[in-house]
Amino acid sequence: MSLDIQCEQLSDARWAELLPLLQQCQVVRLDDCGLTEARCGDISSALRVNPALTELSLRSNELGDAGVHCVLQGLQSPSCKIQKLSLQNCYLTGAGCGVLSGTLRSLPTLQELHLSDNLLGDAGLQLLCEGLLDPQCRLEKLQLEYCNLSAASCEPLASVLRAKPDFKELTVSNNDINEAGVRVLCQGLKDSPCQLEALKLESCGITSNNCRDLCSIVASKASLRELALGSNKLGDVGIAELCPGLLHPSSSLRTLWIWECGITAKGCADLCRVLRTKESLKELSLAGNELGDEGARLLCETLLEPGCQLESLWVKSCSFTAACCSHFSSVLTQNKFLLELQISNNRLGDAGVQELCKGLGQPGSVLRVLWLDCDMSDSSCGSLAATLLANHSLRELDLSNNCLGDAGVLQLVESVRQPGCLLEQLVLYDIYWSEAMEDRLQALEEEKPSLRVIS
C-alpha cells in the first residue's frame, strides 16, 4: 500500500486523516506538501510503529536540520526495513549531517539516499561519508546534486567508492568539483571493486583534460549503463579522448548524455563510430551542441547502419536547417529502432517539416515520440495532418512554440479526431488561438478519450 501526495498544502484535518496511513503504508511520499519541523514529531511517531515501510520521500519540504533529525529518530526502530530515503530540498545543512551520518550506521537495509538541493558543503559531506564508510551501511545509490560541494569533497567520496563493493550509482551533478575533483573521483572508481551502473557529473567543471580518466572508467566498468556529462567543456578533443573507452569491448553503456559540451561535426564523426559499433547504446543526447547540417548528415547516415540500434536521440538546439531534413526523413522511413526524436529549437521551417512528413508517412516508420518546435507555420499543417492519418506508430507529438493559428490547428484537429489516427498525446504550449478553438480542443478530448491535449 502506498501514500503518494504531491503539491498539496495539508490542513490540520487532512493531516489527521493521513497519520494512520503513515503507520501502515509500505511507500510514503509527501513531496512539496508544506511540511515543516512542526509536523516532524508526528511523522517520527508514525514511522516508529510502521514495520512495513520501505520508501520515504519528504522532498521539497522546509524541515531543516531539527526536523530531519526528528524524522530520522523514527527510523531507529529495530523493525525498520527502509530501503529508499529522499530528503531532497529539505533545508538540510552541513550541521545536520552528523545526525544523518549516525543514522546510516543503524540502517543496514537502506540502499538509496537522495540529498540533492541541500547546502551540505564540504564539511557536511565529510560527516556524511564517515557514516557511509561504516561496515553496517550498505548504501548503493547516492544523489548529491546542487549540494555546494567543491573538489575537497571528492577524496571522502573516493574513499567511500573504494570501500563499498555494492555501490551502483553516484550523482554529483551541478557541484563545482572541477578538473581536480573529477580526477580524484575517477581514481577512486579505478581502485574500487564496485559494479557502478550510473555516473552523473553534469555541470561539474569537467574539461577535455578529464576525458582520458573518464575513458578509463568506461572501459574498466563493464557494469556502467549510464554516463551523464552534460554542460561540461569537453569539446571535440575531449570526445576523441572518451570514444576509445566507449568502443572498448567490455563497454555496455546504454545512455550517454553529452548535451552542451561544445561538440561540433568533427566530434560527431567520432561518436558515429561508437554508434555503428555499439548495439548496446540506446539513448544519446547531443542537445545544445553546434553540430550543424554536416553533423546531422553524419548522424543520419550512421542511423541507417545495421549496427546502430539507438532508440532515443535528442538533438535540440543543434543549428540544423531544412537542408538536413531529407536525411532525417530517410531515417524515419528506414530505421527500425529509433522511437524518440527531440529535434526542437532548430530552424527547419515549413520546408523542413514537410520533408520530415514524407518519412513519417511511410509504412515502415516506427517513431513513437516527436518534439517539433521548429519555426513551422500553418502552411505545414496540411502535410502534418495527412501524415497523422497515414502514420500508425506515432503516439506523442509536441508542437509547442510554433507560429500556428486557428487555421493550422483546425487541420490537425480534424485529423486527430479520426478513428484511424492513433496519436495519444498532442502538446501545444505557447500557441495562441481563439476562444472558439479552445472550446474545440476541449470537445476533442471528450469526443476521443484516448487522446490527451496539453496546452
Side-chain angles (χ1 to χ4, degrees), residues 166-324:
D166 296 328
F167 210 83
K168 294 179 179 177
E169 182 177 315
L170 178 63
T171 300
V172 198
S173 297
N174 295 291
N175 290 288
D176 292 328
I177 60 176
N178 298 318
E179 278 186 30
V182 173
R183 193 172 299 116
V184 170
L185 275 183
C186 286
Q187 189 59 54
L189 282 168
K190 288 177 190 177
D191 298 339
S192 172
C194 75
Q195 301 298 302
L196 195 72
E197 295 175 0
L199 179 61
K200 301 177 184 180
L201 298 169
E202 294 181 317
S203 192
C204 280
I206 300 174
T207 72
S208 59
N209 294 331
N210 295 119
C211 287
R212 186 165 294 182
D213 288 328
L214 289 167
C215 172
S216 177
I217 298 304
V218 173
S220 63
K221 295 290 181 185
S223 56
L224 193 65
R225 296 292 178 269
E226 181 176 357
L227 180 62
L229 301 173
S231 191
N232 287 296
K233 296 179 180 179
L234 308 185
D236 295 334
V237 172
I239 292 300
E241 293 273 12
L242 182 63
C243 281
L246 299 171
L247 286 165
H248 194 277
S250 69
S251 173
S252 298
L253 202 70
R254 190 184 193 282
T255 301
L256 179 61
W257 292 87
I258 42 176
W259 50 274
E260 292 183 17
C261 284
I263 304 167
T264 71
K266 182 179 180 182
C268 197
D270 288 321
L271 288 167
C272 285
R273 292 205 308 275
V274 177
L275 288 170
R276 288 189 196 97
T277 306
K278 288 294 183 177
E279 294 181 1
S280 62
L281 191 59
K282 303 299 183 187
E283 301 177 16
L284 175 64
S285 175
L286 289 166
N289 290 294
E290 297 283 333
L291 306 182
D293 291 335
E294 174 62 12
R297 181 187 68 80
L298 291 169
L299 280 173
C300 289
E301 288 178 355
T302 302
L303 286 165
L304 295 176
E305 295 276 346
C308 179
Q309 297 187 12
L310 200 70
E311 296 175 0
S312 174
L313 177 63
W314 285 52
V315 282
K316 178 180 180 179
S317 305
C318 286
S319 301
F320 297 160
T321 72
C324 73

Side-chain angles (χ1 to χ4, degrees), residues 37-58:
E37 181 188 344
R39 297 286 195 201
C40 290
D42 288 342
I43 296 172
S44 182
S45 298
L47 298 180
R48 194 174 287 114
V49 295
N50 182 353
L53 185 72
T54 59
E55 179 181 341
L56 175 64
S57 178
L58 298 172

Side-chain angles (χ1 to χ4, degrees), residues 292-294 296-297 300 319-329 343 346 348 355-356:
D293 291 335
E294 174 62 12
R297 181 187 68 80
C300 289
S319 301
F320 297 160
T321 72
C324 73
C325 289
S326 61
H327 300 298
F328 276 108
S329 184
I343 199 171
N346 289 292
L348 309 184
E355 192 67 44
L356 292 178

Side-chain angles (χ1 to χ4, degrees), residues 23 35 67 96 102 116 135 183 202 221 234 304 321 326 361 367 371 398 410 440:
Q23 297 175 12
L35 302 179
S116 296
R183 193 172 299 116
E202 294 181 317
K221 295 290 181 185
L234 308 185
L304 295 176
T321 72
S326 61
L367 196 76
W371 286 266
D398 191 331
L410 183 60
R440 184 70 189 86

Side-chain angles (χ1 to χ4, degrees), residues 400-414:
S400 300
N401 302 302
N402 285 298
C403 298
L404 306 182
D406 281 13
V409 174
L410 183 60
Q411 287 181 293
L412 296 173
V413 167
E414 287 305 310

